[in-house]
Amino acid sequence: MVSILGISAFYHDSAACLVVDGEIVAAAQEERFSRVKHDHRFPLHAAQYCLAEANLTADGLDFVGFYDKPLLKFDRLLETYLDYSPSGFRSFLKSMPLWMSEKLWMPDLIRTELAKVDADDDDERGAKKRGRKFKWKLLFGDHHESHAASAFYPSPFAEAPILTIDGVGEWATSSIGIGKGNELTLLQELRYPNSVGLLYSAFTYYTGFKVNSGEYKVMGLAPYGEPKYAGAIKDHLLEVKDDGSIKVNQDYFNYSQGLRMTNGAFDKLFGGPPRQPESTITQREMDLARSIQVITEEVMLKMAQYVRKETGMKYLCLAGGVALNCVANGRVLREVPFEDIWIQPAAGDAGGSLGVALAIWHRYLGRPRTVNGQDAMKGSYLGPRDSETEIESYLKSQRVPYTKYSREQLPEIVAELLAQGKIIGLHQGRMEFGPRALGCRSIIGDARSAEMQSVMNLKIKYRESFRPFAPSVLREHVSEWFELDADSPYMLLVAQVAPEKAVEVTEELTGFEKLKVRRSEIPAVTHVDGSARVQTVTRETNPLYWEIIEAFRKRTGCPVIVNTSFNVRGEPIVCTPEDSYRCFMRTEMDYLVLETLVLSKEKA
Ligand SMILES: [Fe+2]
């Protein structure tokens, strides 16, 4: 038996992943355990969980892989800062202590941290355990290679080109590679500071959202606007070549030097300073969001077209933070002649932990891949699950009343509540790996309801009212309801609602008023441009979730429900039953389902 622990940490979204004899046994992000959103610290709790899932101790590992090469990154930081000093000095000082004390001493740091996994007792025995020597070998992956490995190795394809696009790794910001069997070769890369991810982040900053997490909001805001600034972006900010590579004009940006992403020249070009976070969103931000979204789609399409032409291969694998841009992904699927594309659900840096672990198994150890038409992600349900006994004893300790149903009854009960318009917290099975909740740590509701979108945003999630919700649809029925006839198990593809399900819009409004217009039979999941971020659900990967939606379909004729992540704004998605119960009590959710135990707000 060969056990490999993959780790990504110290940038954002730390995570750990355990691969045993080539099988992905467990994977989780640290934030879910520490409850610190995008936690970047060493993923001690996630590693602890992964080892426990396989009944392993830290001594039982054969390999530990880290997802990037800290020295290369240090080299990039140093060169960038030397280039731009002295104006870059402030941010340099801010990031230096961390690099000096942690990143350069990575091998020691990883050993010390992993020694804590099973030795947190404060006595002499604990100290001795923490000081022990490990036999495992520590290997470092290349940042984009880790992304590429996470996209290709678990994919259902025997061979495929791989496109990775993110902010920045060590030097690369995007790469093209080829996977064949167990081999993976990176052929080309785009280098810092020419970065699609950083460009998108600069607009995220400029429109008043948080860099590295608000990119999703920019994408959600885009359909409210017009691409008014796309011309200015292309004339001044970047050159897009035919192969999709870009050259970014650094005169307008500050990301290599400062803590701000954009500078005075940028402000001048777009007519003013950045929007203050939390202040009113105006038409200008909507237009800026639409403009950068349109440019990103153009770049991604060109990159994908280039890959298709150069390799002549049938399928495509995608990863890197920009691969979470599901609007662009949907266009790649529709407009580039690949037969199918597969996107790593943990496309951001968290997925690097999985990539490096699989790269050690397949590349370093040369073990073959088996391809059987399914991907190897197990629906991305790779996190912890609590037993019903544990949940019951927790609820009893809190003196919380609940009703216990049989596994057979449960889908009918939940479907009936959904049909009555109730909003339900659904906590069942193993927690999802990656940023999306896929029916195991989800809040669900009736997609046919016109009020659901604003009620969920304002009373449950406490977040901006413009943000759309995503549908979970039975795979068997996806093409009847959406212009999509493909698997989208990870909610990473956007498609239009099918014309047969659209309703005629008699009066079009502007700005956020657009939200009030009913556009389809499933208004709660239809964005203002008639699109939806689809998750297809199959019985094989998530039986209970499938049965709930099927029972809802039998009652209502609609195989679509609303699925949003189980959390409130600013908090990580829930992990334990305790997290779920707390979140349930803090919001206006009507019911909480913990496996087969159902809690009602009225009785709680
Ligand atoms: Fe990355």
Side-chain angles (χ1 to χ4, degrees), residues 9-30:
F10 306 125
Y11 187 42
H12 49 91
D13 289 319
S14 294
C17 169
L18 184 70
V19 169
V20 178
D21 286 343
E23 183 194 343
I24 308 165
V25 171
Q29 288 135 275
E30 184 67 4

mmCIF file with all atom_site columns, all heavy atoms in Angstrom, residues 9-30:
data_model
loop_
_atom_site.group_PDB
_atom_site.id
_atom_site.type_symbol
_atom_site.label_atom_id
_atom_site.label_alt_id
_atom_site.label_comp_id
_atom_site.label_asym_id
_atom_site.label_entity_id
_atom_site.label_seq_id
_atom_site.pdbx_PDB_ins_code
_atom_site.Cartn_x
_atom_site.Cartn_y
_atom_site.Cartn_z
_atom_site.occupancy
_atom_site.B_iso_or_equiv
_atom_site.pdbx_formal_charge
_atom_site.auth_seq_id
_atom_site.auth_comp_id
_atom_site.auth_asym_id
_atom_site.auth_atom_id
_atom_site.pdbx_PDB_model_num
ATOM 1   N N   . ALA A 1 9  ? -0.873  25.173 0.575  1.00 0.00 ? 9  ALA A N   1
ATOM 2   C CA  . ALA A 1 9  ? -0.958  26.100 1.713  1.00 0.00 ? 9  ALA A CA  1
ATOM 3   C C   . ALA A 1 9  ? -0.170  27.377 1.464  1.00 0.00 ? 9  ALA A C   1
ATOM 4   O O   . ALA A 1 9  ? 0.586   27.465 0.501  1.00 0.00 ? 9  ALA A O   1
ATOM 5   C CB  . ALA A 1 9  ? -0.397  25.434 2.969  1.00 0.00 ? 9  ALA A CB  1
ATOM 6   N N   . PHE A 1 10 ? -0.417  28.339 2.329  1.00 0.00 ? 10 PHE A N   1
ATOM 7   C CA  . PHE A 1 10 ? 0.340   29.597 2.437  1.00 0.00 ? 10 PHE A CA  1
ATOM 8   C C   . PHE A 1 10 ? 0.053   30.625 1.353  1.00 0.00 ? 10 PHE A C   1
ATOM 9   O O   . PHE A 1 10 ? 0.786   31.595 1.224  1.00 0.00 ? 10 PHE A O   1
ATOM 10  C CB  . PHE A 1 10 ? 1.850   29.342 2.511  1.00 0.00 ? 10 PHE A CB  1
ATOM 11  C CG  . PHE A 1 10 ? 2.220   28.402 3.606  1.00 0.00 ? 10 PHE A CG  1
ATOM 12  C CD1 . PHE A 1 10 ? 2.960   27.261 3.348  1.00 0.00 ? 10 PHE A CD1 1
ATOM 13  C CD2 . PHE A 1 10 ? 1.796   28.642 4.906  1.00 0.00 ? 10 PHE A CD2 1
ATOM 14  C CE1 . PHE A 1 10 ? 3.283   26.375 4.366  1.00 0.00 ? 10 PHE A CE1 1
ATOM 15  C CE2 . PHE A 1 10 ? 2.110   27.758 5.932  1.00 0.00 ? 10 PHE A CE2 1
ATOM 16  C CZ  . PHE A 1 10 ? 2.859   26.631 5.661  1.00 0.00 ? 10 PHE A CZ  1
ATOM 17  N N   . TYR A 1 11 ? -0.993  30.398 0.536  1.00 0.00 ? 11 TYR A N   1
ATOM 18  C CA  . TYR A 1 11 ? -1.349  31.460 -0.390 1.00 0.00 ? 11 TYR A CA  1
ATOM 19  C C   . TYR A 1 11 ? -2.807  31.810 -0.124 1.00 0.00 ? 11 TYR A C   1
ATOM 20  O O   . TYR A 1 11 ? -3.088  32.777 0.558  1.00 0.00 ? 11 TYR A O   1
ATOM 21  C CB  . TYR A 1 11 ? -1.083  31.032 -1.825 1.00 0.00 ? 11 TYR A CB  1
ATOM 22  C CG  . TYR A 1 11 ? -1.278  32.168 -2.809 1.00 0.00 ? 11 TYR A CG  1
ATOM 23  C CD1 . TYR A 1 11 ? -0.817  33.453 -2.504 1.00 0.00 ? 11 TYR A CD1 1
ATOM 24  C CD2 . TYR A 1 11 ? -1.933  31.971 -4.006 1.00 0.00 ? 11 TYR A CD2 1
ATOM 25  C CE1 . TYR A 1 11 ? -1.010  34.502 -3.384 1.00 0.00 ? 11 TYR A CE1 1
ATOM 26  C CE2 . TYR A 1 11 ? -2.119  33.018 -4.893 1.00 0.00 ? 11 TYR A CE2 1
ATOM 27  C CZ  . TYR A 1 11 ? -1.653  34.277 -4.566 1.00 0.00 ? 11 TYR A CZ  1
ATOM 28  O OH  . TYR A 1 11 ? -1.859  35.309 -5.435 1.00 0.00 ? 11 TYR A OH  1
ATOM 29  N N   . HIS A 1 12 ? -3.741  31.020 -0.654 1.00 0.00 ? 12 HIS A N   1
ATOM 30  C CA  . HIS A 1 12 ? -5.100  31.062 -0.128 1.00 0.00 ? 12 HIS A CA  1
ATOM 31  C C   . HIS A 1 12 ? -5.726  29.703 -0.355 1.00 0.00 ? 12 HIS A C   1
ATOM 32  O O   . HIS A 1 12 ? -5.262  28.928 -1.169 1.00 0.00 ? 12 HIS A O   1
ATOM 33  C CB  . HIS A 1 12 ? -5.945  32.184 -0.729 1.00 0.00 ? 12 HIS A CB  1
ATOM 34  C CG  . HIS A 1 12 ? -5.897  32.269 -2.220 1.00 0.00 ? 12 HIS A CG  1
ATOM 35  N ND1 . HIS A 1 12 ? -6.782  31.624 -3.037 1.00 0.00 ? 12 HIS A ND1 1
ATOM 36  C CD2 . HIS A 1 12 ? -5.039  32.936 -3.025 1.00 0.00 ? 12 HIS A CD2 1
ATOM 37  C CE1 . HIS A 1 12 ? -6.478  31.901 -4.289 1.00 0.00 ? 12 HIS A CE1 1
ATOM 38  N NE2 . HIS A 1 12 ? -5.430  32.679 -4.325 1.00 0.00 ? 12 HIS A NE2 1
ATOM 39  N N   . ASP A 1 13 ? -6.770  29.396 0.408  1.00 0.00 ? 13 ASP A N   1
ATOM 40  C CA  . ASP A 1 13 ? -7.434  28.104 0.311  1.00 0.00 ? 13 ASP A CA  1
ATOM 41  C C   . ASP A 1 13 ? -6.496  26.915 0.502  1.00 0.00 ? 13 ASP A C   1
ATOM 42  O O   . ASP A 1 13 ? -6.262  26.129 -0.406 1.00 0.00 ? 13 ASP A O   1
ATOM 43  C CB  . ASP A 1 13 ? -8.156  27.965 -1.038 1.00 0.00 ? 13 ASP A CB  1
ATOM 44  C CG  . ASP A 1 13 ? -9.369  28.868 -1.110 1.00 0.00 ? 13 ASP A CG  1
ATOM 45  O OD1 . ASP A 1 13 ? -10.079 28.957 -0.103 1.00 0.00 ? 13 ASP A OD1 1
ATOM 46  O OD2 . ASP A 1 13 ? -9.589  29.490 -2.162 1.00 0.00 ? 13 ASP A OD2 1
ATOM 47  N N   . SER A 1 14 ? -5.962  26.786 1.706  1.00 0.00 ? 14 SER A N   1
ATOM 48  C CA  . SER A 1 14 ? -5.143  25.619 2.036  1.00 0.00 ? 14 SER A CA  1
ATOM 49  C C   . SER A 1 14 ? -6.009  24.370 2.023  1.00 0.00 ? 14 SER A C   1
ATOM 50  O O   . SER A 1 14 ? -7.185  24.426 2.357  1.00 0.00 ? 14 SER A O   1
ATOM 51  C CB  . SER A 1 14 ? -4.579  25.751 3.445  1.00 0.00 ? 14 SER A CB  1
ATOM 52  O OG  . SER A 1 14 ? -3.698  26.812 3.495  1.00 0.00 ? 14 SER A OG  1
ATOM 53  N N   . ALA A 1 15 ? -5.378  23.257 1.666  1.00 0.00 ? 15 ALA A N   1
ATOM 54  C CA  . ALA A 1 15 ? -6.130  22.007 1.631  1.00 0.00 ? 15 ALA A CA  1
ATOM 55  C C   . ALA A 1 15 ? -5.198  20.822 1.759  1.00 0.00 ? 15 ALA A C   1
ATOM 56  O O   . ALA A 1 15 ? -3.980  20.949 1.558  1.00 0.00 ? 15 ALA A O   1
ATOM 57  C CB  . ALA A 1 15 ? -6.904  21.894 0.315  1.00 0.00 ? 15 ALA A CB  1
ATOM 58  N N   . ALA A 1 16 ? -5.779  19.668 2.103  1.00 0.00 ? 16 ALA A N   1
ATOM 59  C CA  . ALA A 1 16 ? -5.022  18.424 2.127  1.00 0.00 ? 16 ALA A CA  1
ATOM 60  C C   . ALA A 1 16 ? -5.818  17.361 1.390  1.00 0.00 ? 16 ALA A C   1
ATOM 61  O O   . ALA A 1 16 ? -7.051  17.431 1.329  1.00 0.00 ? 16 ALA A O   1
ATOM 62  C CB  . ALA A 1 16 ? -4.780  17.980 3.564  1.00 0.00 ? 16 ALA A CB  1
ATOM 63  N N   . CYS A 1 17 ? -5.085  16.410 0.812  1.00 0.00 ? 17 CYS A N   1
ATOM 64  C CA  . CYS A 1 17 ? -5.726  15.337 0.062  1.00 0.00 ? 17 CYS A CA  1
ATOM 65  C C   . CYS A 1 17 ? -4.942  14.051 0.270  1.00 0.00 ? 17 CYS A C   1
ATOM 66  O O   . CYS A 1 17 ? -3.708  14.068 0.277  1.00 0.00 ? 17 CYS A O   1
ATOM 67  C CB  . CYS A 1 17 ? -5.739  15.707 -1.420 1.00 0.00 ? 17 CYS A CB  1
ATOM 68  S SG  . CYS A 1 17 ? -6.210  14.345 -2.494 1.00 0.00 ? 17 CYS A SG  1
ATOM 69  N N   . LEU A 1 18 ? -5.645  12.950 0.464  1.00 0.00 ? 18 LEU A N   1
ATOM 70  C CA  . LEU A 1 18 ? -4.967  11.671 0.650  1.00 0.00 ? 18 LEU A CA  1
ATOM 71  C C   . LEU A 1 18 ? -5.273  10.728 -0.507 1.00 0.00 ? 18 LEU A C   1
ATOM 72  O O   . LEU A 1 18 ? -6.434  10.477 -0.832 1.00 0.00 ? 18 LEU A O   1
ATOM 73  C CB  . LEU A 1 18 ? -5.412  11.027 1.968  1.00 0.00 ? 18 LEU A CB  1
ATOM 74  C CG  . LEU A 1 18 ? -4.692  9.719  2.301  1.00 0.00 ? 18 LEU A CG  1
ATOM 75  C CD1 . LEU A 1 18 ? -3.229  9.966  2.671  1.00 0.00 ? 18 LEU A CD1 1
ATOM 76  C CD2 . LEU A 1 18 ? -5.399  8.989  3.428  1.00 0.00 ? 18 LEU A CD2 1
ATOM 77  N N   . VAL A 1 19 ? -4.190  10.241 -1.116 1.00 0.00 ? 19 VAL A N   1
ATOM 78  C CA  . VAL A 1 19 ? -4.327  9.277  -2.207 1.00 0.00 ? 19 VAL A CA  1
ATOM 79  C C   . VAL A 1 19 ? -3.683  7.965  -1.738 1.00 0.00 ? 19 VAL A C   1
ATOM 80  O O   . VAL A 1 19 ? -2.525  7.951  -1.332 1.00 0.00 ? 19 VAL A O   1
ATOM 81  C CB  . VAL A 1 19 ? -3.633  9.805  -3.484 1.00 0.00 ? 19 VAL A CB  1
ATOM 82  C CG1 . VAL A 1 19 ? -3.519  8.718  -4.543 1.00 0.00 ? 19 VAL A CG1 1
ATOM 83  C CG2 . VAL A 1 19 ? -4.414  11.000 -4.045 1.00 0.00 ? 19 VAL A CG2 1
ATOM 84  N N   . VAL A 1 20 ? -4.460  6.880  -1.744 1.00 0.00 ? 20 VAL A N   1
ATOM 85  C CA  . VAL A 1 20 ? -3.930  5.576  -1.324 1.00 0.00 ? 20 VAL A CA  1
ATOM 86  C C   . VAL A 1 20 ? -4.012  4.622  -2.514 1.00 0.00 ? 20 VAL A C   1
ATOM 87  O O   . VAL A 1 20 ? -5.092  4.395  -3.057 1.00 0.00 ? 20 VAL A O   1
ATOM 88  C CB  . VAL A 1 20 ? -4.714  5.009  -0.117 1.00 0.00 ? 20 VAL A CB  1
ATOM 89  C CG1 . VAL A 1 20 ? -4.169  3.635  0.271  1.00 0.00 ? 20 VAL A CG1 1
ATOM 90  C CG2 . VAL A 1 20 ? -4.634  5.959  1.066  1.00 0.00 ? 20 VAL A CG2 1
ATOM 91  N N   . ASP A 1 21 ? -2.868  4.116  -2.927 1.00 0.00 ? 21 ASP A N   1
ATOM 92  C CA  . ASP A 1 21 ? -2.795  3.240  -4.106 1.00 0.00 ? 21 ASP A CA  1
ATOM 93  C C   . ASP A 1 21 ? -3.533  3.831  -5.300 1.00 0.00 ? 21 ASP A C   1
ATOM 94  O O   . ASP A 1 21 ? -4.264  3.134  -6.022 1.00 0.00 ? 21 ASP A O   1
ATOM 95  C CB  . ASP A 1 21 ? -3.351  1.846  -3.780 1.00 0.00 ? 21 ASP A CB  1
ATOM 96  C CG  . ASP A 1 21 ? -2.373  1.063  -2.912 1.00 0.00 ? 21 ASP A CG  1
ATOM 97  O OD1 . ASP A 1 21 ? -1.186  1.450  -2.854 1.00 0.00 ? 21 ASP A OD1 1
ATOM 98  O OD2 . ASP A 1 21 ? -2.801  0.082  -2.280 1.00 0.00 ? 21 ASP A OD2 1
ATOM 99  N N   . GLY A 1 22 ? -3.367  5.121  -5.489 1.00 0.00 ? 22 GLY A N   1
ATOM 100 C CA  . GLY A 1 22 ? -3.941  5.783  -6.651 1.00 0.00 ? 22 GLY A CA  1
ATOM 101 C C   . GLY A 1 22 ? -5.379  6.234  -6.490 1.00 0.00 ? 22 GLY A C   1
ATOM 102 O O   . GLY A 1 22 ? -5.915  6.947  -7.335 1.00 0.00 ? 22 GLY A O   1
ATOM 103 N N   . GLU A 1 23 ? -6.034  5.802  -5.397 1.00 0.00 ? 23 GLU A N   1
ATOM 104 C CA  . GLU A 1 23 ? -7.437  6.201  -5.196 1.00 0.00 ? 23 GLU A CA  1
ATOM 105 C C   . GLU A 1 23 ? -7.518  7.442  -4.316 1.00 0.00 ? 23 GLU A C   1
ATOM 106 O O   . GLU A 1 23 ? -6.834  7.544  -3.289 1.00 0.00 ? 23 GLU A O   1
ATOM 107 C CB  . GLU A 1 23 ? -8.181  5.043  -4.514 1.00 0.00 ? 23 GLU A CB  1
ATOM 108 C CG  . GLU A 1 23 ? -9.649  5.340  -4.330 1.00 0.00 ? 23 GLU A CG  1
ATOM 109 C CD  . GLU A 1 23 ? -10.341 4.368  -3.363 1.00 0.00 ? 23 GLU A CD  1
ATOM 110 O OE1 . GLU A 1 23 ? -9.775  3.293  -3.099 1.00 0.00 ? 23 GLU A OE1 1
ATOM 111 O OE2 . GLU A 1 23 ? -11.425 4.729  -2.872 1.00 0.00 ? 23 GLU A OE2 1
ATOM 112 N N   . ILE A 1 24 ? -8.351  8.409  -4.734 1.00 0.00 ? 24 ILE A N   1
ATOM 113 C CA  . ILE A 1 24 ? -8.533  9.603  -3.901 1.00 0.00 ? 24 ILE A CA  1
ATOM 114 C C   . ILE A 1 24 ? -9.427  9.223  -2.739 1.00 0.00 ? 24 ILE A C   1
ATOM 115 O O   . ILE A 1 24 ? -10.616 8.974  -2.901 1.00 0.00 ? 24 ILE A O   1
ATOM 116 C CB  . ILE A 1 24 ? -9.175  10.760 -4.705 1.00 0.00 ? 24 ILE A CB  1
ATOM 117 C CG1 . ILE A 1 24 ? -8.392  11.023 -5.994 1.00 0.00 ? 24 ILE A CG1 1
ATOM 118 C CG2 . ILE A 1 24 ? -9.227  12.028 -3.860 1.00 0.00 ? 24 ILE A CG2 1
ATOM 119 C CD1 . ILE A 1 24 ? -9.150  11.881 -7.001 1.00 0.00 ? 24 ILE A CD1 1
ATOM 120 N N   . VAL A 1 25 ? -8.841  9.131  -1.561 1.00 0.00 ? 25 VAL A N   1
ATOM 121 C CA  . VAL A 1 25 ? -9.568  8.638  -0.397 1.00 0.00 ? 25 VAL A CA  1
ATOM 122 C C   . VAL A 1 25 ? -10.271 9.792  0.338  1.00 0.00 ? 25 VAL A C   1
ATOM 123 O O   . VAL A 1 25 ? -11.392 9.656  0.814  1.00 0.00 ? 25 VAL A O   1
ATOM 124 C CB  . VAL A 1 25 ? -8.592  7.894  0.552  1.00 0.00 ? 25 VAL A CB  1
ATOM 125 C CG1 . VAL A 1 25 ? -9.257  7.561  1.875  1.00 0.00 ? 25 VAL A CG1 1
ATOM 126 C CG2 . VAL A 1 25 ? -8.075  6.636  -0.123 1.00 0.00 ? 25 VAL A CG2 1
ATOM 127 N N   . ALA A 1 26 ? -9.587  10.933 0.410  1.00 0.00 ? 26 ALA A N   1
ATOM 128 C CA  . ALA A 1 26 ? -10.166 12.060 1.141  1.00 0.00 ? 26 ALA A CA  1
ATOM 129 C C   . ALA A 1 26 ? -9.521  13.351 0.669  1.00 0.00 ? 26 ALA A C   1
ATOM 130 O O   . ALA A 1 26 ? -8.356  13.362 0.264  1.00 0.00 ? 26 ALA A O   1
ATOM 131 C CB  . ALA A 1 26 ? -9.941  11.893 2.643  1.00 0.00 ? 26 ALA A CB  1
ATOM 132 N N   . ALA A 1 27 ? -10.294 14.436 0.719  1.00 0.00 ? 27 ALA A N   1
ATOM 133 C CA  . ALA A 1 27 ? -9.755  15.759 0.413  1.00 0.00 ? 27 ALA A CA  1
ATOM 134 C C   . ALA A 1 27 ? -10.636 16.808 1.067  1.00 0.00 ? 27 ALA A C   1
ATOM 135 O O   . ALA A 1 27 ? -11.867 16.667 1.069  1.00 0.00 ? 27 ALA A O   1
ATOM 136 C CB  . ALA A 1 27 ? -9.693  15.985 -1.097 1.00 0.00 ? 27 ALA A CB  1
ATOM 137 N N   . ALA A 1 28 ? -10.011 17.825 1.637  1.00 0.00 ? 28 ALA A N   1
ATOM 138 C CA  . ALA A 1 28 ? -10.805 18.870 2.298  1.00 0.00 ? 28 ALA A CA  1
ATOM 139 C C   . ALA A 1 28 ? -10.002 20.152 2.430  1.00 0.00 ? 28 ALA A C   1
ATOM 140 O O   . ALA A 1 28 ? -8.769  20.121 2.479  1.00 0.00 ? 28 ALA A O   1
ATOM 141 C CB  . ALA A 1 28 ? -11.252 18.401 3.675  1.00 0.00 ? 28 ALA A CB  1
ATOM 142 N N   . GLN A 1 29 ? -10.722 21.263 2.476  1.00 0.00 ? 29 GLN A N   1
ATOM 143 C CA  . GLN A 1 29 ? -10.068 22.559 2.672  1.00 0.00 ? 29 GLN A CA  1
ATOM 144 C C   . GLN A 1 29 ? -10.008 22.878 4.166  1.00 0.00 ? 29 GLN A C   1
ATOM 145 O O   . GLN A 1 29 ? -10.948 22.594 4.907  1.00 0.00 ? 29 GLN A O   1
ATOM 146 C CB  . GLN A 1 29 ? -10.865 23.651 1.956  1.00 0.00 ? 29 GLN A CB  1
ATOM 147 C CG  . GLN A 1 29 ? -10.753 23.582 0.456  1.00 0.00 ? 29 GLN A CG  1
ATOM 148 C CD  . GLN A 1 29 ? -12.117 23.744 -0.206 1.00 0.00 ? 29 GLN A CD  1
ATOM 149 O OE1 . GLN A 1 29 ? -12.864 22.795 -0.374 1.00 0.00 ? 29 GLN A OE1 1
ATOM 150 N NE2 . GLN A 1 29 ? -12.431 24.970 -0.573 1.00 0.00 ? 29 GLN A NE2 1
ATOM 151 N N   . GLU A 1 30 ? -8.930  23.511 4.551  1.00 0.00 ? 30 GLU A N   1
ATOM 152 C CA  . GLU A 1 30 ? -8.727  23.839 5.960  1.00 0.00 ? 30 GLU A CA  1
ATOM 153 C C   . GLU A 1 30 ? -9.824  24.753 6.507  1.00 0.00 ? 30 GLU A C   1
ATOM 154 O O   . GLU A 1 30 ? -10.231 24.643 7.647  1.00 0.00 ? 30 GLU A O   1
ATOM 155 C CB  . GLU A 1 30 ? -7.344  24.492 6.127  1.00 0.00 ? 30 GLU A CB  1
ATOM 156 C CG  . GLU A 1 30 ? -6.945  24.817 7.555  1.00 0.00 ? 30 GLU A CG  1
ATOM 157 C CD  . GLU A 1 30 ? -6.723  23.593 8.448  1.00 0.00 ? 30 GLU A CD  1
ATOM 158 O OE1 . GLU A 1 30 ? -6.798  22.459 7.949  1.00 0.00 ? 30 GLU A OE1 1
ATOM 159 O OE2 . GLU A 1 30 ? -6.482  23.792 9.651  1.00 0.00 ? 30 GLU A OE2 1
#
